[in-house]
Amino acid sequence: MKYIDEFRDPEKAQRLLHLIHKRSTHPVRLMEFCGGHTHAIFKFGLRQLLPCTVTLLSGPGCPVCVTASSDLDRAIAMAHLPGVIVATFGDMMRVPGSNGTLQDAKAQGADVRMVYSSLDALSIARANPDRPLIFLAIGFETTAPTVAAAILQAQEEDVDNFFILSLHKLTPPATKAILDAGEVNLSGIIGPGHVTTVIGADSWNFLPNDYGIPCAIAGFEPLDILWAIYALVDMIEAHTPAVSNRYARSVRPEGNRRAQELMDQVFQIGPAEWRGLGVVPSSGLLLREQYRAFDAALHFPVQISPSQEPAGCRCGEVLRGVTEPPQCPLFARVCTPEHPIGPCMVSSEGACAAYMQYSEA
Amino acid sequence: MCLAVPARILSIEGQEAEVDFSGVRRRISVALTPEARVGDYVVIHTGFAISVLDEAEALETLKLFQELDEFTAQMLQDTDNPVSQSAPNHELSGK
Ligand code: SF4
């Protein structure tokens, strides 16, 4: 068991597809919250294989994409402060803010470094004890515990030049915000497999209970995704909305308790600004009082002018599932992966990049 | 950055582990999965294991796909059978 090829068997995929075709009689609109699912759905060409009754919509689950322009502008301003080192995940480097990208800031002399993990950022802080290191802490419930772990380690080792700009976002409140806005008529949600590994399948019970729509938690291989789509179609056809865990090898009803404890120890819930959704109450994570020593926002206040969205970019609508990337007038003409105008074209989890890369264009 | 992948644990030292990502070796943290043991497959996200994959559950899912195979094979031969009413209930909720 290697947990990859077994879940890519084309013959089994064929059979699952056949089952979906047979079971689906009514048109349904399913949203995959997670950018990882968007990427996989395009990579394996699943959209074209589904019956015409099943429409898939991409959601806001790309952490780079949902980072607000104003937060990116703040990060860029911090990078220009004397002595500061900014560490960030790779995708953030190329996202255009109001005046250029972090990569541009680097070209202008700012010290911006790409890291793979929060612990890499902590290592840079350790190696440069005289300079403040600011880690751009973006990401959902999957990343937040890893940042909490780095903070606790920094505290234990008395590393006093490690700071984070907490831009973490929580997925259930964003899903609620999309449903409450009522702009897209959704029949079911493909639940994010790795976020749910952390928060637990039970966290999605509000979908059937409060909104009457089913949720199927999916892994990231083609069979996992088809299996979840079948579950959703089946529950919709049978009028029995529930939370169905189709990624049981990683997701437990209660989630990863250890990860939740660390997150809860270091962070408290607060409002967050999302690109496309605006400020969503209780959808972000702020450092708790006793960890304020690590808060970059507190220790490096910067003035920024009102932020501007890239002219003509419709990322906000794409993230809400209201607009499909090819409907954006800039798509593929002006905005390409080589010259991205908006974040949805930068990140491999962004819907615009997925469309381009696996060419429905 | 959310594209987490399964990897096998080769060795563990404190909160650090060496893993094998289909041939590529890397050091990761097991701070979020204290239950992880050498030989386990874990899901890695930004340098941390976030879950230990449950082999029994994986085998169960694959077995269900196998049963689907047999069911659909039977169904393909028997086209008069209205499938929407005879589909087996593979509901896994509550797991
Ligand atoms: S194609 Fe480019 S400009 Fe248009 S919405 Fe996507 S990222 Fe924005």
Side-chain angles (χ1 to χ4, degrees), chain A residues 193-249:
Chain A
H194 292 139
V195 160
T196 310
T197 292
V198 172
I199 66 178
D202 290 346
S203 307
W204 297 100
N205 287 342
F206 74 91
L207 285 171
N209 295 349
D210 302 345
Y211 294 89
I213 66 172
C215 174
I217 317 296
F220 294 84
E221 298 301 339
L223 295 187
D224 291 317
I225 296 171
L226 292 175
W227 186 220
I229 291 171
Y230 174 70
L232 288 173
V233 167
D234 187 51
M235 288 188 279
I236 295 163
E237 292 284 342
H239 302 288
T240 52
V243 174
S244 177
N245 180 7
R246 302 285 160 141
Y247 190 33
R249 64 187 182 277

Side-chain angles (χ1 to χ4, degrees), chain B residues 54-74:
Chain B
D54 184 329
E55 189 173 7
E57 286 287 2
L59 291 170
E60 173 93 347
T61 305
L62 291 171
K63 196 171 139 242
L64 276 169
F65 292 152
Q66 196 58 45
E67 283 168 13
L68 280 183
D69 279 3
E70 280 151 24
F71 170 74
T72 43
Q74 194 187 345

